[in-house]
Amino acid sequence: MTDHDFIAGLPKAELHLHIEGSLEPELMFALAARNGVAIPFASVEEVRAAYSFSRLQDFLDIYYKGADVLRTEADFHDLAVAYFDRAAADGVVHAEIMFDPQTHTARGVNFDTVIAGLLSGMAAAEATHGLTSRLILSFLRHLDEADAFATLEMARPWLDRITAVGLDSSELGHPPEKFARVFAAAHALGLRRVAHAGEEGPPGYVYQALDLLGVDRLDHGNRSLEDPALVARLARTGMTLTVCPLSNLKLCVVGDMADHPIDRMLREGLRATINSDDPAYFGGYVADNYRAAAAARGLDRRDLAMLARNSFLGSFLPDDVVATHLAALDAYVAAH
Ligand code: HPA
Ligand code: ZN
């Protein structure tokens, strides 16, 4: 079996995926037509050609524009189903997906419309593929604390269907401390906590995510490597890092995939995982991310199995379900 196929079949969880970032240009055009929404592109090719970024903000500007075609519950259902079909083909058996309610409520699309569509897509994926999933409500950090609190309020009727809160969007200038009280309130409601930190922001933002937000998992976390004491702490506490190699390349967090620190993270004892972030924008789904990292950094099958293992250990699944996934992973590795 080739490494290509080994990676596709490797049972894995995806822990860092923005569902709005899985909107492929083809679906963007279909939804624009269905909803009578104008989009500033003439063709699918023109959309793809626009996906060239030199930093996070370049991407975010186009990502929020693309999301404008999402209007109805059916749109969010179709978006989710398209992602899960792709993920299942990549060996994903469990996904913890982020959604950005404020991107939609700011346009007059109701919170309930968004979450109902996503939940029905999640149920369809479980019925079709046996792929389980959880929802992470992510706050936009470029907006203020009051807006995040209002969003948490909208989530109240749905709390039993939401696993965690997250923090995304423009990192620089919007440190985690801005949302310390919102995260405390989410924790008090029984939600788990994740946050993007150390993608473009300094190691100090990672400390804030740990100490002021109390995160259970760190999204990206790359710049932690600049601080040896922080690396030691993350390793000692078994903190999961949801690393996204193709995103890192596209957003110039690394200059070249050959310089990606994924193997260094594993060597330093960090619980690193591989994820796709915004696959429609960054050129690949989760297996493409495993392959790109493996080819550039010479990862062997033991490394790949470790990354998949970490994805289950870092998930919010109960211990007995994690154990079942790890047993299936071990059996797969032993058979290959
Ligand atoms: N970083 C910050 N915000 C985001 C990202 C990301 O990688 N993807 C979608 N929103
Ligand atoms: Zn992200």
PDB file of all heavy atoms in Angstrom, residues 6-26:
ATOM      1  N   PHE A   6      -2.338   4.746   2.613  1.00  0.00           N
ATOM      2  CA  PHE A   6      -2.229   4.527   4.071  1.00  0.00           C
ATOM      3  C   PHE A   6      -2.840   5.714   4.818  1.00  0.00           C
ATOM      4  O   PHE A   6      -3.580   5.545   5.794  1.00  0.00           O
ATOM      5  CB  PHE A   6      -0.757   4.350   4.466  1.00  0.00           C
ATOM      6  CG  PHE A   6      -0.535   4.226   5.948  1.00  0.00           C
ATOM      7  CD1 PHE A   6      -0.768   3.021   6.611  1.00  0.00           C
ATOM      8  CD2 PHE A   6      -0.098   5.317   6.699  1.00  0.00           C
ATOM      9  CE1 PHE A   6      -0.582   2.918   7.988  1.00  0.00           C
ATOM     10  CE2 PHE A   6       0.094   5.225   8.078  1.00  0.00           C
ATOM     11  CZ  PHE A   6      -0.149   4.018   8.716  1.00  0.00           C
ATOM     12  N   ILE A   7      -2.543   6.909   4.340  1.00  0.00           N
ATOM     13  CA  ILE A   7      -3.067   8.121   4.996  1.00  0.00           C
ATOM     14  C   ILE A   7      -4.586   8.220   4.822  1.00  0.00           C
ATOM     15  O   ILE A   7      -5.308   8.545   5.768  1.00  0.00           O
ATOM     16  CB  ILE A   7      -2.348   9.381   4.456  1.00  0.00           C
ATOM     17  CG1 ILE A   7      -0.912   9.419   4.992  1.00  0.00           C
ATOM     18  CG2 ILE A   7      -3.110  10.660   4.798  1.00  0.00           C
ATOM     19  CD1 ILE A   7      -0.015  10.463   4.352  1.00  0.00           C
ATOM     20  N   ALA A   8      -5.082   7.897   3.630  1.00  0.00           N
ATOM     21  CA  ALA A   8      -6.534   7.982   3.401  1.00  0.00           C
ATOM     22  C   ALA A   8      -7.289   7.023   4.331  1.00  0.00           C
ATOM     23  O   ALA A   8      -8.370   7.348   4.833  1.00  0.00           O
ATOM     24  CB  ALA A   8      -6.861   7.674   1.944  1.00  0.00           C
ATOM     25  N   GLY A   9      -6.708   5.850   4.562  1.00  0.00           N
ATOM     26  CA  GLY A   9      -7.405   4.839   5.362  1.00  0.00           C
ATOM     27  C   GLY A   9      -7.181   4.971   6.857  1.00  0.00           C
ATOM     28  O   GLY A   9      -7.877   4.330   7.650  1.00  0.00           O
ATOM     29  N   LEU A  10      -6.190   5.763   7.230  1.00  0.00           N
ATOM     30  CA  LEU A  10      -5.843   5.927   8.644  1.00  0.00           C
ATOM     31  C   LEU A  10      -7.024   6.549   9.401  1.00  0.00           C
ATOM     32  O   LEU A  10      -7.434   7.678   9.100  1.00  0.00           O
ATOM     33  CB  LEU A  10      -4.619   6.847   8.732  1.00  0.00           C
ATOM     34  CG  LEU A  10      -3.897   7.049  10.061  1.00  0.00           C
ATOM     35  CD1 LEU A  10      -3.221   5.758  10.524  1.00  0.00           C
ATOM     36  CD2 LEU A  10      -2.864   8.175   9.916  1.00  0.00           C
ATOM     37  N   PRO A  11      -7.598   5.842  10.374  1.00  0.00           N
ATOM     38  CA  PRO A  11      -8.731   6.437  11.108  1.00  0.00           C
ATOM     39  C   PRO A  11      -8.237   7.652  11.890  1.00  0.00           C
ATOM     40  O   PRO A  11      -7.213   7.581  12.571  1.00  0.00           O
ATOM     41  CB  PRO A  11      -9.176   5.326  12.070  1.00  0.00           C
ATOM     42  CG  PRO A  11      -8.484   4.089  11.625  1.00  0.00           C
ATOM     43  CD  PRO A  11      -7.242   4.515  10.906  1.00  0.00           C
ATOM     44  N   LYS A  12      -8.977   8.736  11.779  1.00  0.00           N
ATOM     45  CA  LYS A  12      -8.519   9.985  12.403  1.00  0.00           C
ATOM     46  C   LYS A  12      -9.698  10.854  12.804  1.00  0.00           C
ATOM     47  O   LYS A  12     -10.813  10.691  12.287  1.00  0.00           O
ATOM     48  CB  LYS A  12      -7.595  10.739  11.436  1.00  0.00           C
ATOM     49  CG  LYS A  12      -8.239  11.062  10.100  1.00  0.00           C
ATOM     50  CD  LYS A  12      -7.291  11.765   9.127  1.00  0.00           C
ATOM     51  CE  LYS A  12      -6.334  10.869   8.372  1.00  0.00           C
ATOM     52  NZ  LYS A  12      -6.969   9.876   7.482  1.00  0.00           N
ATOM     53  N   ALA A  13      -9.431  11.793  13.704  1.00  0.00           N
ATOM     54  CA  ALA A  13     -10.422  12.825  14.046  1.00  0.00           C
ATOM     55  C   ALA A  13      -9.925  14.141  13.472  1.00  0.00           C
ATOM     56  O   ALA A  13      -8.719  14.376  13.408  1.00  0.00           O
ATOM     57  CB  ALA A  13     -10.577  12.935  15.555  1.00  0.00           C
ATOM     58  N   GLU A  14     -10.854  14.970  13.056  1.00  0.00           N
ATOM     59  CA  GLU A  14     -10.482  16.334  12.668  1.00  0.00           C
ATOM     60  C   GLU A  14     -10.969  17.282  13.753  1.00  0.00           C
ATOM     61  O   GLU A  14     -12.157  17.298  14.085  1.00  0.00           O
ATOM     62  CB  GLU A  14     -11.059  16.715  11.304  1.00  0.00           C
ATOM     63  CG  GLU A  14     -10.787  18.187  10.984  1.00  0.00           C
ATOM     64  CD  GLU A  14     -10.434  18.490   9.535  1.00  0.00           C
ATOM     65  OE1 GLU A  14     -11.295  18.310   8.667  1.00  0.00           O
ATOM     66  OE2 GLU A  14      -9.285  18.910   9.295  1.00  0.00           O
ATOM     67  N   LEU A  15     -10.047  18.081  14.288  1.00  0.00           N
ATOM     68  CA  LEU A  15     -10.345  18.920  15.457  1.00  0.00           C
ATOM     69  C   LEU A  15     -10.285  20.413  15.166  1.00  0.00           C
ATOM     70  O   LEU A  15     -10.613  21.219  16.043  1.00  0.00           O
ATOM     71  CB  LEU A  15      -9.353  18.597  16.595  1.00  0.00           C
ATOM     72  CG  LEU A  15      -9.280  17.129  17.036  1.00  0.00           C
ATOM     73  CD1 LEU A  15      -8.248  16.973  18.157  1.00  0.00           C
ATOM     74  CD2 LEU A  15     -10.645  16.615  17.492  1.00  0.00           C
ATOM     75  N   HIS A  16      -9.854  20.776  13.980  1.00  0.00           N
ATOM     76  CA  HIS A  16      -9.748  22.209  13.647  1.00  0.00           C
ATOM     77  C   HIS A  16     -10.254  22.413  12.230  1.00  0.00           C
ATOM     78  O   HIS A  16      -9.522  22.241  11.255  1.00  0.00           O
ATOM     79  CB  HIS A  16      -8.291  22.672  13.790  1.00  0.00           C
ATOM     80  CG  HIS A  16      -8.084  24.146  13.601  1.00  0.00           C
ATOM     81  ND1 HIS A  16      -6.995  24.814  14.111  1.00  0.00           N
ATOM     82  CD2 HIS A  16      -8.814  25.090  12.942  1.00  0.00           C
ATOM     83  CE1 HIS A  16      -7.052  26.099  13.773  1.00  0.00           C
ATOM     84  NE2 HIS A  16      -8.153  26.282  13.057  1.00  0.00           N
ATOM     85  N   LEU A  17     -11.532  22.759  12.160  1.00  0.00           N
ATOM     86  CA  LEU A  17     -12.192  22.903  10.860  1.00  0.00           C
ATOM     87  C   LEU A  17     -13.265  23.972  11.020  1.00  0.00           C
ATOM     88  O   LEU A  17     -14.113  23.861  11.907  1.00  0.00           O
ATOM     89  CB  LEU A  17     -12.797  21.547  10.456  1.00  0.00           C
ATOM     90  CG  LEU A  17     -13.582  21.378   9.157  1.00  0.00           C
ATOM     91  CD1 LEU A  17     -15.017  21.894   9.234  1.00  0.00           C
ATOM     92  CD2 LEU A  17     -12.855  21.963   7.956  1.00  0.00           C
ATOM     93  N   HIS A  18     -13.161  25.009  10.207  1.00  0.00           N
ATOM     94  CA  HIS A  18     -14.203  26.044  10.199  1.00  0.00           C
ATOM     95  C   HIS A  18     -15.171  25.647   9.100  1.00  0.00           C
ATOM     96  O   HIS A  18     -14.781  25.602   7.923  1.00  0.00           O
ATOM     97  CB  HIS A  18     -13.592  27.413   9.900  1.00  0.00           C
ATOM     98  CG  HIS A  18     -12.515  27.802  10.868  1.00  0.00           C
ATOM     99  ND1 HIS A  18     -12.764  28.578  11.975  1.00  0.00           N
ATOM    100  CD2 HIS A  18     -11.191  27.489  10.914  1.00  0.00           C
ATOM    101  CE1 HIS A  18     -11.633  28.748  12.651  1.00  0.00           C
ATOM    102  NE2 HIS A  18     -10.658  28.090  12.028  1.00  0.00           N
ATOM    103  N   ILE A  19     -16.413  25.392   9.454  1.00  0.00           N
ATOM    104  CA  ILE A  19     -17.334  24.881   8.440  1.00  0.00           C
ATOM    105  C   ILE A  19     -17.514  25.900   7.308  1.00  0.00           C
ATOM    106  O   ILE A  19     -17.624  25.516   6.138  1.00  0.00           O
ATOM    107  CB  ILE A  19     -18.667  24.406   9.068  1.00  0.00           C
ATOM    108  CG1 ILE A  19     -19.432  23.526   8.088  1.00  0.00           C
ATOM    109  CG2 ILE A  19     -19.518  25.563   9.573  1.00  0.00           C
ATOM    110  CD1 ILE A  19     -18.774  22.215   7.716  1.00  0.00           C
ATOM    111  N   GLU A  20     -17.472  27.191   7.641  1.00  0.00           N
ATOM    112  CA  GLU A  20     -17.579  28.215   6.576  1.00  0.00           C
ATOM    113  C   GLU A  20     -16.370  28.160   5.651  1.00  0.00           C
ATOM    114  O   GLU A  20     -16.441  28.605   4.511  1.00  0.00           O
ATOM    115  CB  GLU A  20     -17.697  29.617   7.182  1.00  0.00           C
ATOM    116  CG  GLU A  20     -18.977  29.865   7.984  1.00  0.00           C
ATOM    117  CD  GLU A  20     -18.854  29.502   9.463  1.00  0.00           C
ATOM    118  OE1 GLU A  20     -17.838  28.870   9.850  1.00  0.00           O
ATOM    119  OE2 GLU A  20     -19.771  29.851  10.232  1.00  0.00           O
ATOM    120  N   GLY A  21     -15.267  27.641   6.143  1.00  0.00           N
ATOM    121  CA  GLY A  21     -14.049  27.523   5.334  1.00  0.00           C
ATOM    122  C   GLY A  21     -14.025  26.273   4.477  1.00  0.00           C
ATOM    123  O   GLY A  21     -13.033  25.992   3.809  1.00  0.00           O
ATOM    124  N   SER A  22     -15.115  25.509   4.516  1.00  0.00           N
ATOM    125  CA  SER A  22     -15.210  24.336   3.639  1.00  0.00           C
ATOM    126  C   SER A  22     -16.133  24.630   2.453  1.00  0.00           C
ATOM    127  O   SER A  22     -16.497  23.719   1.705  1.00  0.00           O
ATOM    128  CB  SER A  22     -15.718  23.115   4.428  1.00  0.00           C
ATOM    129  OG  SER A  22     -17.093  23.253   4.722  1.00  0.00           O
ATOM    130  N   LEU A  23     -16.503  25.900   2.307  1.00  0.00           N
ATOM    131  CA  LEU A  23     -17.393  26.296   1.200  1.00  0.00           C
ATOM    132  C   LEU A  23     -16.605  26.338  -0.109  1.00  0.00           C
ATOM    133  O   LEU A  23     -15.847  27.274  -0.373  1.00  0.00           O
ATOM    134  CB  LEU A  23     -17.990  27.680   1.503  1.00  0.00           C
ATOM    135  CG  LEU A  23     -18.887  28.297   0.427  1.00  0.00           C
ATOM    136  CD1 LEU A  23     -20.113  27.436   0.153  1.00  0.00           C
ATOM    137  CD2 LEU A  23     -19.309  29.710   0.833  1.00  0.00           C
ATOM    138  N   GLU A  24     -16.768  25.315  -0.917  1.00  0.00           N
ATOM    139  CA  GLU A  24     -16.055  25.237  -2.207  1.00  0.00           C
ATOM    140  C   GLU A  24     -16.681  26.222  -3.195  1.00  0.00           C
ATOM    141  O   GLU A  24     -17.897  26.484  -3.144  1.00  0.00           O
ATOM    142  CB  GLU A  24     -16.145  23.813  -2.770  1.00  0.00           C
ATOM    143  CG  GLU A  24     -15.360  22.774  -1.986  1.00  0.00           C
ATOM    144  CD  GLU A  24     -13.842  22.876  -2.164  1.00  0.00           C
ATOM    145  OE1 GLU A  24     -13.380  23.638  -3.034  1.00  0.00           O
ATOM    146  OE2 GLU A  24     -13.120  22.198  -1.394  1.00  0.00           O
ATOM    147  N   PRO A  25     -15.881  26.757  -4.115  1.00  0.00           N
ATOM    148  CA  PRO A  25     -16.412  27.722  -5.082  1.00  0.00           C
ATOM    149  C   PRO A  25     -17.636  27.209  -5.854  1.00  0.00           C
ATOM    150  O   PRO A  25     -18.557  27.972  -6.131  1.00  0.00           O
ATOM    151  CB  PRO A  25     -15.223  27.963  -6.022  1.00  0.00           C
ATOM    152  CG  PRO A  25     -14.026  27.701  -5.172  1.00  0.00           C
ATOM    153  CD  PRO A  25     -14.410  26.603  -4.220  1.00  0.00           C
ATOM    154  N   GLU A  26     -17.652  25.907  -6.161  1.00  0.00           N
ATOM    155  CA  GLU A  26     -18.803  25.354  -6.897  1.00  0.00           C
ATOM    156  C   GLU A  26     -20.090  25.515  -6.084  1.00  0.00           C
ATOM    157  O   GLU A  26     -21.131  25.903  -6.624  1.00  0.00           O
ATOM    158  CB  GLU A  26     -18.584  23.868  -7.224  1.00  0.00           C
ATOM    159  CG  GLU A  26     -17.536  23.599  -8.283  1.00  0.00           C
ATOM    160  CD  GLU A  26     -16.100  23.654  -7.752  1.00  0.00           C
ATOM    161  OE1 GLU A  26     -15.901  23.869  -6.526  1.00  0.00           O
ATOM    162  OE2 GLU A  26     -15.172  23.506  -8.579  1.00  0.00           O
TER     163      GLU A  26
END
